[in-house]
Amino acid sequence: TTLEFEVIINPNPAPIEDSTETTCVDSILALSPNGGLVTIEETIGTETNLSTANTTTADLGPNPLQTYYGNTKQQWIYTADELTNIGFVSGSTINSITLHLSQANNYVLNNLTVKMKNSTTAAFASTSSWESDMVVVKDASSHTTVVGDNTFVLDTPFLWDGVSNLVVEINYMNDNSGGGNGNFTRAYYSNTSFNSTLFYRYDGTAHTADTYTGTATAMLSKRNNVTFSISNPVTITWTPQQNLYIDS
């Protein structure tokens, strides 16, 4: 005997693995579908402010992809409320993040690393309050800056716990004095009501950006506009929940 079931998923699409089990007439078969993920893309930050391309002041940031100096470390915070407002749920997995540049120079950033952390930190307290124990989600690699979308696909997708704030870090080390033939990068950002970003830039080899814990160049109440690609788990609900079969 062949039994057919229609599974309706909302939102759509979301792949569900159906059951391939067989059963006999007048017996009971438990249905246990597996899978169900919805992938969405949402952006936090809608303002069109731009970082300055070439300055020694704090206005160079926020921009972890700046090229006026040879090295950068930047951390920034999203509150749990901000994440849930764009569709994050407990168990959301971050697959990639995208920063948006209005100006770029096709300049290669070396040893670029992306890190994330579920954290209770809701705002940076000082220019030296770097978040520790960050988790590497994209191993050190090269990235060429481009006008428009600069997307970083995570080597290890990051699982949000549903309650914590999220700290993101990007750092890179070219160990030089910057470059790009004068057409340095400018990044879109939006203002925040709290100290959301720590930004550090330097030239040469005086420090190691990846492990730097000293004083930041600036603590900012502004944050780069970032697009998240996330996968959300889907809750499967049987309808009706009662009288799906008659146990006679």
Side-chain angles (χ1 to χ4, degrees), residues 98-147:
T98 299
L99 284 84
H100 311 282
L101 300 180
S102 72
Q103 177 176 301
N105 44 21
N106 296 318
Y107 189 68
V108 177
L109 309 180
N110 296 307
N111 304 301
L112 187 146
T113 302
V114 182
K115 302 179 183 181
M116 294 183 179
K117 181 184 176 183
N118 290 314
S119 175
T120 58
T121 302
F124 291 111
S126 71
T127 53
S128 59
S129 58
W130 297 99
E131 190 76 9
S132 61
D133 300 320
M134 298 288 291
V135 177
V136 175
V137 293
K138 183 172 178 58
D139 297 328
S141 59
S142 298
H143 175 77
T144 301
T145 58
V146 297
V147 173

Side-chain angles (χ1 to χ4, degrees), residues 197-214:
T197 301
L198 284 185
F199 172 72
Y200 181 61
R201 83 293 182 269
Y202 67 98
D203 281 333
T205 59
H207 307 290
T208 300
D210 187 62
T211 58
Y212 181 77
T213 57

